Amino acid sequence: MKDDNAQANGEEPPSGHRPRLLKEFHSAGRGFWHDVPEADWNDWRWQLKHRITTPEQLQRLMPTLTPEEFAGAKLANHKLALAITPYFFNLIDPADEHCPIRLQVIPRIEETHTASWEMSDPCGEDSHSPVPGLVHRYPDRVLFLVTDRCAAYCRYCTRSRLVSNASGYDFHPEFDRQIAYIAQHPEIRDVLLSGGDPLLLGDEKLENLLGRLRAIPHLEFLRIGSRIPTFLPQRITPELCAMLKKFHPLFMSIHSNHPRELTTEVRDALGRLADAGIPLGNQSVLLKHVNDDAEVMKAHVQKLLMCRVKPYYLYQCDLISGSAHLRASVRKGIEIMTQLRGHTTGYAVPQYVIDAPGGGGKVPINPEYVLSHNADRVLLRNYEGKLFEYPEAPDGTPLVEPPKEIEEPQLV
Ligand code: SF4
């Protein structure tokens, strides 16, 4: 699927039309699966059962596979499994080697190239894990790993050491021990269910887990991190939504990186979650040739708002082994943030962060807006590059006199 009709005809869209075209909603369509009964296509278990998981399947469906991709697909199961749902596969443009959807899910041989600063556990999760499947890195919240399986596998996954079990990590969550640890730590008020993808659990199993967590009196807040709404929107059934709404306050962080992932199917699935009262945030990863472009990013965040999702974090890609070909620069990330802040709705602006390598947690990265700050003034730059002074109160003392006349500083 192309961004727009003009591109589908092999033409470039007229300049200025691209942002609008990027924000149009389209269905992923049925593609190779046009003769599959509607009921099967819309059944999330059918989608999972018919995922593309081998290089041969991939090549049959996409004869334009490059040698780098075929070689990567052959080796994929040594690092991170290859799996793509038929629904998501239909979003790939087989004619475009740089298709932003393709780059996210089709392995490449470059995944075997590892730089000395890359790591298998770049966020130091294993060293903050008091019991298997639980990461306790921040004081008042924990990460609860539910499964090592995902509907499809992102080639830049921070937990590629663990998910899919391709590299032999042999992950086994122990729900009893994970829940007991949380119950014994009253300082924990927030649990984030992640993995792998928690929404791969059946409704009954997930309900049981959420119920056990909700029974812990000091837990104020539950969260689910899931890429299912974009990889497999068929999973967001009315029954699932009805079950989830029993556990409020329950938030969900979805994961989407490019406006083309936000199809009519995804918009409808997100609408069902929002109608169930679930506040939705999105986490994106800054990826080279996928979304390292201010126009693409702006269209994406604006389209997320149209899907009732608040752009939450934009992550600098972690130093995960074999991901150099997908990592955009921090300079590019800051440039994109500069072109979002003030230039679009504040709700649409995510927080750009770097997860400090080795387990330092998320560090916010912002363009420079405070140019200097001393005892009596703050020098500010606004989104247009204009400079302003804000008079500062001496610490602990309210300002009782108007500040002396301030000269407008010259823009350098
Ligand atoms: S869905 Fe999440 S956990 Fe699964 S492969 Fe993608 S980034 Fe990793």
Side-chain angles (χ1 to χ4, degrees):
M1 190 168 108
K2 292 273 192 179
D3 281 346
D4 54 80
N5 294 333
Q7 280 190 327
N9 295 332
E11 305 158 10
E12 279 301 310
S15 72
H17 287 215
R18 189 166 168 244
R20 182 175 53 75
L21 296 169
L22 281 167
K23 288 199 288 182
E24 284 179 358
F25 286 92
H26 297 279
S27 165
R30 301 288 293 275
F32 295 96
W33 295 272
H34 56 88
D35 52 359
V36 169
E38 189 77 13
D40 283 346
W41 180 258
N42 291 325
D43 178 350
W44 65 279
R45 293 186 193 276
W46 183 94
Q47 288 279 339
L48 284 179
K49 198 166 153 201
H50 291 85
R51 288 183 300 176
I52 297 123
T53 56
T54 67
E56 292 73 25
Q57 271 178 304
L58 196 55
Q59 197 169 46
R60 185 168 51 78
L61 292 168
M62 205 166 87
T64 54
L65 211 60
T66 65
E68 292 80 12
E69 288 170 329
F70 189 68
K74 279 208 294 192
L75 291 171
N77 290 344
H78 299 293
K79 182 201 163 206
L80 181 66
L82 158 65
I84 311 171
T85 55
Y87 160 82
F88 200 75
F89 183 82
N90 280 347
L91 296 178
I92 294 174
D93 179 353
D96 180 6
E97 200 181 315
H98 304 291
C99 161
I101 307 298
R102 179 174 182 156
L103 292 171
Q104 294 183 58
V105 289
I106 296 194
R108 296 182 63 88
I109 193 66
E110 290 91 322
E111 289 180 21
T112 61
H113 306 164
T114 303
S116 58
W117 53 82
E118 293 180 334
M119 295 167 254
S120 64
D121 179 16
C123 299
E125 292 179 339
D126 290 348
S127 58
H128 291 84
S129 183
V131 297
L134 202 74
V135 179
H136 193 177
R137 185 171 60 183
Y138 299 102
D140 67 344
R141 53 208 186 274
V142 287
L143 172 66
F144 191 119
L145 302 178
V146 172
T147 172
D148 63 354
R149 301 294 137 141
C150 299
Y153 293 106
C154 314
R155 307 322 305 174
Y156 49 83
C157 178
T158 296
R159 291 194 198 110
S160 59
R161 73 189 184 285
L162 181 158
V163 300
S164 86
N165 199 26
S167 52
Y169 186 92
D170 208 18
F171 173 72
H172 294 288
E174 296 183 34
F175 287 2
D176 288 345
R177 287 182 68 193
Q178 288 162 277
I179 291 169
Y181 179 90
I182 296 168
Q184 288 156 12
H185 287 78
E187 73 277 16
I188 298 172
R189 39 166 289 285
D190 167 10
V191 175
L192 168 60
L193 299 183
S194 184
D197 206 310
L199 295 188
L200 277 189
L201 262 52
D203 290 1
E204 213 172 294
K205 203 165 176 190
L206 188 56
E207 181 168 12
N208 181 275
L209 176 58
L210 289 168
R212 292 179 71 187
L213 291 169
R214 260 282 156 258
I216 300 174
H218 55 262
L219 283 191
E220 299 170 6
F221 176 62
L222 300 176
R223 286 187 281 165
I224 294 177
S226 175
R227 186 115 155 81
I228 288 269
T230 45
F231 276 157
L232 184 60
Q234 295 81 359
R235 172 68 183 104
I236 311 300
T237 60
E239 295 75 26
L240 174 72
C241 297
M243 182 275 283
L244 293 176
K245 72 190 285 191
K246 293 187 216 162
F247 298 100
H248 281 312
L250 174 73
F251 282 44
M252 190 176 292
S253 293
I254 69 156
H255 176 171
S256 161
N257 295 316
H258 189 276
R260 210 194 289 170
E261 291 171 57
L262 301 173
T263 60
T264 48
E265 291 90 333
V266 169
R267 181 181 59 186
D268 293 349
L270 294 168
R272 289 192 287 279
L273 289 166
D275 284 346
I278 300 170
L280 300 169
N282 181 67
Q283 314 198 76
S284 288
V285 181
L286 183 66
L287 297 169
K288 201 192 277 182
H289 303 314
V290 173
N291 57 12
D292 61 336
D293 174 306
E295 206 171 62
V296 169
M297 190 66 82
K298 193 191 277 187
H300 185 230
V301 294
Q302 292 176 346
K303 207 172 173 186
L304 281 164
L305 288 189
M306 288 193 267
C307 295
R308 304 163 71 180
V309 180
K310 160 87 181 83
Y312 178 35
Y313 280 129
L314 170 64
Y315 286 96
Q316 178 64 20
C317 187
D318 289 325
L319 297 174
I320 187 75
S321 305
S323 64
H325 60 295
L326 284 171
R327 276 201 304 277
S329 66
V330 176
R331 185 189 306 271
K332 177 56 87 173
I334 293 173
E335 182 190 311
I336 288 173
M337 292 309 298
T338 307
Q339 292 177 55
L340 289 182
R341 173 68 63 200
H343 296 275
T344 189
T345 317
Y347 272 117
V349 182
Q351 176 63 60
Y352 178 40
V353 290
I354 297 182
D355 229 318
K362 293 180 191 67
V363 179
I365 307 294
N366 294 309
E368 266 335 312
Y369 292 114
V370 177
L371 302 185
S372 72
H373 188 181
N374 58 30
D376 58 8
R377 67 166 201 162
V378 187
L379 182 60
L380 305 166
R381 178 181 68 79
N382 81 348
Y383 75 102
E384 298 163 306
K386 292 183 181 159
L387 301 185
F388 299 87
E389 279 193 342
Y390 184 90
E392 177 67 302
D395 280 353
T397 314
L399 270 185
V400 288
E401 285 177 23
K404 289 183 223 110
E405 194 175 330
I406 294 169
E407 278 180 29
E408 177 74 19
Q410 293 304 303
L411 179 61
V412 181

